[in-house]
Amino acid sequence: MKLATLIRLMAVAGWLWPSAAAAQETTPPVILVSRQLAESEGLEVGSVIRLATDASGTRAREFRIGGIYEPTPDPARLGQVPRSVRLHLPELLEMTRPVGVPPGAEYIASVNVALVDPNDAPQFAKDVNARLPGVLARPSGEAAGSAGPFRVLERFHLAIAVVTIVAATVFLLALTIMLVDERRETVGVLRLIGLPVRRILAQILLEGLMVAGAGAVFGLVLAVLSEQLINQFFQWRYDTALVFVRVTRDVALTCVSIAVPLGASATVVASWALLRRGGLRLARR
Amino acid sequence: MSASNGVIVDAQHVSRVFSMPAGPVTAVRDVTLQIRNGDHIAVRGPSGCGKSTLLHMLGCVETQTSGTLLFDGKNVSQLSDARRSLLRLRQIGFVFQRFFLLPMLTARENVELPMSEAGVPKDTRQQRVQQLLEYVGLAARADHRPSQLSGGEMQRVAIARALANGPRLLLADEPTGELDEATGAQIAGLLDRVNQAGTALVIVTHDPTLADRAARVLTMRDGQIESERSR
Amino acid sequence: MTALGFAWRSLVRQPARAALGILGVAAVGALLFDMLMLSRGLIVSMQDLLDRGGWDVRVSAGDLPASGLRVSNALQTADAIATLPSVQAALVIRGASAEIDRASGMPLKAAFQGVATRSTDPAGSRLRAPWTILRGRDADAPDEVVIDERIASESRIEPGNAITMRASCVADLEALPATRLMVVGVAEFPFQTTNESTVGGTLDALKAACGGNVGQEADLILVTSKGDADGTAAAIRAQHPEVRAATNSQVVGRLQQTGFTYFRQISSVLTTVTVSFAVLLITVLLTVSVNQRLGEIAALRALGFSRMRVVKDVLSESALIVGIGGLLSLPLGLLLASGLDRILKGMPGIPVALHFFVFETGALGVHVALLVATAIIAALYPMRIVSRLPIAATLRDEVIG
């Protein structure tokens, strides 16, 4: 190769090679940012931002936003706007490694494991705990430490529900007494005609069941509508996708199984006191 | 307090039309009637002829659809509801077929109620209640509730209540309708005494013996006064 | 007879019905009262808890509540803070987990709080640690500690006894030799949780228990200002931009937006539901009651009772039911609140001294106002019925009926 051509080639190579190296350095790594962070800071896909691990901005690095994600709603962090980013682990470790600590010696808080067969979780956890002292492995379903508050809240809600049912029962009794009393004369006449108490009570029970059943259905419809409203309100209020109220099949069945017998019983109880009186006394104005 | 010529009620061509889904119903048609101090009038007629409606208009409980009705010289249809209530409280007494005593009050308290509402002082009220109960022969049952009284006794208490504020006009709608003959006769006698004491009396009744005691008997048919007989 | 007297007679006419209506209002009213107490209960209780010790500014590495971060060079930072003109004293707090040996059975797990006061003011230097001595005295020397009632009762330890403790200040997996410490007092720790045991002492005692392996960090620095907490917090932030300094009110404000927000929302929702429920039920009760007495009411109108008077009678009846029920709802509500408070305090991490339901006169005032509104709104429909009652038609219907 002639010398001049070689020099030109080297010059061209010398020009290209630093540019290639510069191109590699100027392309920041890609991260994801939460929707809430993007909205509050006016960020878009493609924006380049600088992240640091302390407020002074020491060792800040540039990243390019590759996408905006919706964080999985965490009920334990209700009220806290999730301003978060997601990095590749090596980049996170690079940023957070203390000075003087060699790469590979960092620590992480936890590892999530997806098993081929989720039913193996308890055995897998047991094996890991046996083989790796200093590490605590738990199946996800048993990681109830953070679910403790929600168990307490469940008890709290149950207590509120009990009080509400007691209040409703008291009112229901008052109303059924009034409604039964309205038909005092009719019942008195039926007794005078010769209908036995049992027959009249059966009719009252049937009526009570129908009214209670209709009331329970109406209550369920109201609950489902309220569910939508409450969820929509709180999701707007806290800017979250969390579901706050859910009327499940079990909940609906429990409510109906309480409401219908309660309603029917209240009618019968209210009527019983009335039916103990004689027909003449009932029919008399 | 008195109207001119002692006329308490002056009804001129009064009619009452009720709007019903099936069409308007004329309950009272073009009735002209005057009630004076001390009048004793019975109104008879078949069911649905408008007797009770006429009574309600005379008692300012119902307003006429057309015509004019003056009570003590005042045009009733131009009075507010509050003024009409005051008129009924002070000048008119009502006795109903079904008594309508308040079951949670004693006989004494039922009689006292209109006086209390009219603002009569307590001492005066208590004195008058006692007088009225004696007048109707129930002083001994003053502290009994209506459920503890017979039908006749309840009606007597109702009459005492109607007289509580010394009305000029007493209106009775089938006062013996729920009573047996003997008791009805007692009530009729009591009403006579009330009238003889100076209170004008208008009774709507099916009872011929009650009607025969009246000085004027009006017979109504199809909303109109078909005939008037004076004794 | 006044409208109220008349209403009372109407109520007692049907004692069973009246009693049930009143009891229903009492139950609903109790729930309403509790929700009102809950809406600010946590905030009031937390504020009281924070203010109790007299420390009005809190300095931390991260946002409170606990972020897990520690304040670096804590003693130097506290010394510097103590020199600020508006600061009376600064208290460094460092925590560690500890195990206390028992005569038999497993060691008792406890939290060890080591404290050190920094102040340029003689009065400030005398300020005590954030716990209250119940028996004995406070710990002064590096081999002295105070314990809580739970440790004292479970292990039968009293001031004058010694305990053997293993503490870990850096990581839970340390295995350190036991340290013998003298118990000089039994104390109440305000932020102690239900299932927790706590031991308190000087920072030197903590260092000794941790085998000297403590480092320069602290969990929290408490500061007492000379009156201007906001100014002091601002001065600390200016002096040390790397830390967070918040007054007690600011800490409570932050909690209000995060952890406490659920309870405010649930109390608002339940207050709304409860009031609606009460209005609906009382409306139905009154309406049925009025409908059963239309003949009587028409007769009273015919006798001369004004429209206003019969309307007042209905309103008075509503007022009586809600008024008597409302009065009963107060003791019932307080009883219910103690039960609900006990349930909620079962949450992990809740200090024993913190309450969810706190009685405030403001809550009582709102309760009364809501009950008054309930009585009025519930009576609106039945009042409308009686005010528009066609007298003659009703009398006619009664005869026919």
Side-chain angles (χ1 to χ4, degrees):
Chain A
M1 185 183 282
K2 285 186 180 176
L3 184 59
T5 307
L6 184 59
I7 292 170
R8 274 200 294 277
L9 277 172
M10 283 175 67
V12 167
W15 176 74
L16 279 175
W17 180 61
S19 298
Q24 279 175 7
E25 282 173 6
T26 55
T27 307
V30 169
I31 61 169
L32 300 178
V33 299
S34 66
R35 173 185 57 80
Q36 290 83 351
L37 178 61
E39 281 172 3
S40 64
E41 300 299 322
L43 304 173
E44 294 172 340
V45 172
S47 301
V48 173
I49 61 172
R50 292 168 65 82
L51 294 178
T53 55
D54 60 54
S56 62
T58 315
R59 294 164 62 195
R61 288 192 60 191
E62 277 191 354
F63 293 90
R64 186 170 61 83
I65 296 176
I68 296 172
Y69 70 98
E70 182 66 45
T72 304
D74 183 356
R77 298 168 72 85
L78 182 67
Q80 296 173 32
V81 179
R83 294 160 59 89
S84 53
V85 298
R86 284 191 176 166
L87 296 75
H88 290 295
L89 187 59
E91 278 137 19
L92 177 67
L93 293 177
E94 178 70 35
M95 282 182 66
T96 57
R97 186 183 314 119
V99 174
V101 172
E106 311 91 349
Y107 75 91
I108 53 174
S110 60
V111 176
N112 290 348
V113 177
L115 300 174
V116 171
D117 180 2
N119 294 323
D120 288 340
Q123 186 57 47
F124 179 80
K126 203 171 156 189
D127 288 345
V128 168
N129 287 331
R131 292 183 198 191
L132 295 171
V135 163
L136 177 62
R138 287 181 297 188
S140 303
E142 287 172 26
S146 63
F150 297 96
R151 297 232 166 92
V152 169
L153 285 177
E154 206 178 306
R155 281 202 293 276
F156 174 68
H157 291 155
L158 188 62
I160 302 284
V162 166
V163 173
T164 310
I165 290 171
V166 165
T169 306
V170 169
F171 270 117
L172 190 61
L173 262 176
L175 281 169
T176 46
I177 285 174
M178 290 167 83
L179 293 170
V180 159
D181 195 52
E182 264 189 334
R183 301 160 85 188
R184 184 165 46 90
E185 283 178 39
T186 311
V187 170
V189 167
L190 289 174
R191 291 289 310 283
L192 288 173
I193 288 172
L195 263 68
V197 169
R198 215 173 27 247
R199 165 84 170 78
I200 299 171
L201 261 181
Q203 177 146 346
I204 289 168
L205 178 63
L206 191 64
E207 256 184 62
L209 277 169
M210 283 168 57
V211 170
V217 167
F218 178 71
L220 278 178
V221 168
L222 202 61
V224 167
L225 286 173
S226 308
E227 178 190 11
Q228 308 288 332
L229 285 171
I230 292 173
N231 282 332
Q232 276 175 14
F233 172 73
F234 282 106
Q235 283 169 358
W236 163 80
R237 171 73 178 78
Y238 292 110
D239 192 13
T240 177
L242 267 179
V243 171
F244 292 81
V245 175
R246 182 170 275 152
V247 179
T248 62
R249 191 168 154 270
D250 283 347
V251 164
L253 279 173
T254 306
C255 292
V256 169
S257 66
I258 292 172
V260 173
L262 208 57
S265 310
T267 320
V268 169
V269 164
S271 306
W272 179 247
L274 196 70
L275 287 170
R276 282 169 58 210
R277 291 188 231 161
L280 198 63
R281 205 171 144 208
L282 288 173
R284 186 187 173 210
R285 287 179 181 167
Chain B
M1 190 169 149
S2 322
S4 55
N5 300 326
V7 173
I8 304 170
V9 178
D10 185 4
Q12 296 289 331
H13 305 289
V14 293
S15 299
R16 182 68 170 98
V17 180
F18 292 104
S19 303
M20 301 290 201
V25 171
T26 306
V28 171
R29 194 191 305 270
D30 194 27
V31 166
T32 296
L33 173 68
Q34 280 188 341
I35 302 170
R36 290 186 167 78
N37 288 327
D39 269 354
H40 185 169
I41 301 171
V43 182
R44 299 185 63 188
S47 287
C49 69
K51 321 186 280 296
S52 293
T53 306
L54 176 64
L55 196 78
H56 292 152
M57 284 198 290
L58 295 175
C60 306
V61 169
E62 189 94 71
T63 46
Q64 72 278 14
T65 312
S66 62
T68 50
L69 196 141
L70 304 179
F71 192 102
D72 209 15
K74 299 185 199 71
N75 191 337
V76 169
S77 54
Q78 288 176 357
L79 295 177
S80 65
D81 181 81
R83 295 301 296 271
R84 283 204 300 275
S85 297
L86 207 57
L87 195 64
R88 290 196 298 273
L89 185 67
R90 294 188 195 277
Q91 310 251 32
I92 303 171
F94 262 99
V95 176
F96 306 98
Q97 179 177 348
R98 297 195 58 183
F99 325 129
F100 286 130
L101 295 178
L102 296 179
M104 67 282 197
L105 303 181
T106 61
R108 186 195 307 278
E109 287 164 339
N110 267 287
V111 174
E112 194 180 348
L113 201 57
M115 285 187 267
S116 164
E117 184 64 14
V120 174
K122 191 174 177 183
D123 291 341
T124 312
R125 283 200 317 257
Q126 286 174 346
Q127 206 175 5
R128 181 140 174 83
V129 164
Q130 189 61 26
Q131 284 169 355
L132 282 166
L133 286 173
E134 282 169 5
Y135 182 73
V136 300
L138 285 174
R141 307 295 297 277
D143 295 317
H144 288 201
R145 294 231 157 95
S147 57
Q148 296 166 309
L149 302 174
S150 67
E153 287 167 341
M154 282 198 278
Q155 194 62 295
R156 282 192 267 161
V157 172
I159 292 170
R161 180 180 67 180
L163 296 172
N165 285 323
R168 296 177 65 202
L169 174 63
L170 183 68
L171 301 169
D173 193 354
E174 301 281 4
T176 59
E178 304 235 332
L179 306 172
D180 60 78
E181 204 177 310
T183 314
Q186 286 177 1
I187 297 301
L190 179 56
L191 288 171
D192 281 346
R193 280 168 48 211
V194 167
N195 175 245
Q196 280 155 20
T199 306
L201 181 63
V202 178
I203 304 178
V204 162
T205 184
H206 282 122
D207 185 347
T209 51
L210 193 59
D212 287 343
R213 289 169 180 257
R216 285 162 68 189
V217 179
L218 307 177
T219 306
M220 285 187 75
R221 186 178 293 277
D222 293 330
Q224 289 180 303
I225 297 178
E226 189 180 54
S227 65
E228 179 172 338
R229 174 171 55 87
S230 299
R231 184 157 52 89
Chain C
M1 189 176 281
T2 61
L4 214 54
F6 197 80
W8 171 253
R9 298 300 288 271
S10 297
L11 269 186
V12 300
R13 167 181 173 177
Q14 299 270 7
R17 179 198 306 185
L20 287 169
I22 289 168
L23 280 175
V25 170
V28 168
L31 194 60
L32 175 66
F33 188 41
D34 285 358
M35 290 306 108
L36 292 171
M37 285 197 285
L38 179 65
S39 71
R40 278 184 43 85
L42 263 182
I43 296 159
V44 168
S45 182
M46 180 56 87
Q47 185 76 52
D48 175 65
L49 209 56
L50 290 172
D51 291 338
R52 206 181 281 185
W55 306 92
D56 50 10
V57 179
R58 280 150 209 275
V59 179
S60 56
D63 284 332
L64 288 171
S67 59
L69 301 171
R70 288 196 166 126
V71 178
S72 311
N73 302 312
L75 286 172
Q76 289 93 307
T77 306
D79 283 330
I81 290 172
T83 62
L84 289 170
S86 60
V87 170
Q88 192 176 35
L91 182 84
V92 173
I93 301 181
R94 174 66 191 264
S97 50
E99 286 182 353
I100 301 170
D101 289 345
R102 289 197 274 197
S104 60
M106 297 287 288
L108 185 63
K109 288 190 192 302
F112 193 145
Q113 284 185 12
V115 300
T117 309
R118 291 291 187 265
S119 179
T120 58
D121 178 349
S125 303
R126 287 194 293 275
L127 284 174
R128 307 305 300 180
W131 48 72
T132 309
I133 298 297
L134 301 173
R135 296 195 290 287
R137 60 173 176 83
D138 205 352
D140 291 321
D143 63 345
E144 292 177 347
V145 289
V146 295
I147 57 175
D148 67 18
E149 276 286 13
R150 196 182 147 123
I151 298 173
S153 59
E154 278 189 25
S155 308
R156 294 201 196 92
I157 299 171
E158 284 301 315
N161 297 144
I163 56 170
T164 308
M165 180 194 296
R166 281 159 234 277
S168 177
C169 291
V170 176
D172 288 339
L173 298 179
E174 285 183 322
L176 294 171
T179 310
R180 193 174 162 78
L181 297 161
M182 183 62 67
V183 174
V184 295
V186 176
E188 183 185 60
F189 295 82
F191 285 92
Q192 184 173 321
T193 63
T194 320
N195 299 323
E196 215 175 41
S197 298
T198 314
V199 174
T202 61
L203 198 57
D204 291 333
L206 181 78
K207 279 182 188 167
C210 288
N213 189 17
V214 173
Q216 299 297 314
E217 297 167 329
D219 295 305
L220 194 62
I221 300 174
L222 300 180
V223 177
T224 298
S225 71
K226 287 179 181 166
D228 178 16
D230 289 312
T232 303
I236 294 170
R237 284 193 289 269
Q239 191 187 60
H240 298 278
E242 74 282 7
V243 299
R244 306 272 201 275
T247 62
N248 290 344
S249 301
Q250 286 167 346
V251 170
V252 169
R254 199 168 295 139
L255 286 168
Q256 215 172 330
Q257 283 164 18
T258 55
F260 292 179
T261 190
Y262 166 76
F263 295 100
R264 294 204 71 194
Q265 297 297 332
I266 192 87
S267 87
S268 302
V269 170
L270 285 176
T271 298
T272 310
V273 168
T274 307
V275 170
S276 310
F277 189 52
V279 165
L280 186 67
L281 290 173
I282 298 166
T283 302
V284 173
L285 258 178
L286 282 175
T287 304
V288 173
S289 168
V290 156
N291 281 337
Q292 287 181 340
R293 293 179 287 148
L294 287 179
E296 285 168 26
I297 296 168
L300 287 175
R301 290 277 284 132
L303 287 171
F305 272 47
S306 65
R307 192 173 279 169
M308 185 59 69
R309 171 58 202 255
V310 295
V311 163
K312 264 202 295 194
D313 287 341
V314 171
L315 185 61
S316 300
E317 207 174 317
S318 180
L320 271 179
I321 295 174
V322 174
I324 300 173
L327 271 173
L328 287 175
S329 75
L330 295 178
L332 205 60
L334 290 172
L335 191 66
L336 180 64
S338 73
L340 292 174
D341 199 60
R342 222 179 357 259
I343 293 174
L344 287 177
K345 279 159 74 79
M347 262 195 247
I350 296 292
V352 170
L354 188 71
H355 292 282
F356 289 79
F357 297 85
V358 174
F359 177 81
E360 276 188 294
T361 46
L364 182 63
V366 174
H367 180 64
V368 169
L370 283 173
L371 286 180
V372 167
T374 299
I376 293 171
I377 296 170
L380 283 178
Y381 181 64
M383 285 196 300
R384 186 172 179 270
I385 293 174
V386 301
S387 79
R388 289 172 161 222
L389 188 69
I391 307 170
T394 309
L395 291 171
R396 244 189 322 267
D397 290 343
E398 285 291 313
V399 171
I400 294 166

